[in-house]
Amino acid sequence: MPGEKIQLTEADITTLQADAIVNAANNSLLGGGGVDGAIHRAAGPELLTQCRTLGCCPTGEARITKGYRLPAAWVIHTVGPVWHGGAQGEPEMLARCYQSCFALAREYGLRTIAFPAISTGVYGYPKAEAARIAVHEARRVMAENKTLAAILFVCFNRDTRLAYEKALAEKP
Ligand code: AR6
């Protein structure tokens, strides 16, 4: 809903005009499949050139680059956990991804940020639990970062959208 600070949309994240879009990257930051591949294709080769200067990114951390040919000014690259059943620190690590992205959003004074459902593709994180963590961290940051005007969760398919709708309907 327009006016809501946490919003859902079904879209290709590379088309969005947020201040920053988030990339679900891998530790190399050198591109891959899924949303990572789509972002690199849409941003153009300059993105990979900048990523090469950054070195590896540990799981749970985030790095920021320019958006190049994307409508978004910035790309925040974060590395989500691979799902191994949930007892190997995956929830904490996924929460840390969102926190790392929000720390960069604060540092760069970003007003709008769009996230894909980190780890829920190739990395196999169950959508419902991942959406719950994403919504929890978004609510937390909205309560304390007054510069941040909107957080957009970009759902690439209906199942993902349903998972976020359910998470948003749950009490904080
Ligand atoms: N826009 C929005 N969401 C998308 C798009 C898009 N264009 N494309 C895919 N998604 P994934 P992961 C959704 O696999 O699980 C890469 O190879 C997708 O439906 O992209 O964190 C990296 O290099 C899913 O809901 O990321 C890593 O090696 C979500 O984005 C690895 O995949 C995340 O799916 C990371 O795996």
Side-chain angles (χ1 to χ4, degrees):
M1 262 200 317
E4 291 288 326
K5 289 184 158 187
I6 300 176
Q7 301 173 7
L8 301 184
T9 185
E10 250 176 85
D12 173 351
I13 202 167
T14 64
T15 65
L16 296 180
Q17 258 179 345
D19 288 347
I21 64 170
V22 173
N23 183 16
N26 58 59
N27 298 117
S28 79
L29 297 185
L30 298 180
V35 72
D36 195 4
I39 288 173
H40 274 271
R41 274 193 301 279
E46 298 92 339
L47 178 61
L48 183 58
T49 303
Q50 188 178 1
C51 283
R52 284 191 198 287
T53 67
L54 300 175
C56 279
C57 180
T59 305
E61 293 190 11
R63 303 285 184 267
I64 192 165
T65 65
K66 293 184 195 168
Y68 298 100
R69 298 176 202 177
L70 291 165
W74 302 98
V75 180
I76 297 177
H77 308 259
T78 190
V79 184
V82 177
W83 179 257
H84 290 296
Q88 297 190 35
E90 295 94 330
E92 294 76 15
M93 207 48 101
L94 186 59
R96 200 174 303 163
C97 283
Y98 286 94
Q99 291 159 9
S100 300
C101 292
F102 289 133
L104 283 168
R106 176 184 285 283
E107 191 181 331
Y108 282 73
L110 305 183
R111 290 179 44 78
T112 55
I113 179 167
F115 284 91
I118 299 164
S119 282
T120 67
V122 175
Y123 283 0
Y125 209 111
K127 290 186 197 322
E129 281 100 274
R132 214 172 287 133
I133 289 169
V135 166
H136 178 76
E137 295 304 325
R139 283 179 168 149
R140 231 156 57 115
V141 76
M142 273 305 186
E144 50 98 14
N145 179 345
K146 298 302 169 202
T147 308
L148 203 51
I151 297 170
L152 188 59
F153 289 121
V154 183
C155 309
F156 204 49
N157 50 48
R158 193 166 171 272
D159 280 359
T160 304
R161 191 189 181 96
L162 292 175
Y164 275 93
E165 281 174 356
K166 196 153 177 270
L168 280 168
E170 283 169 15
K171 283 217 174 72

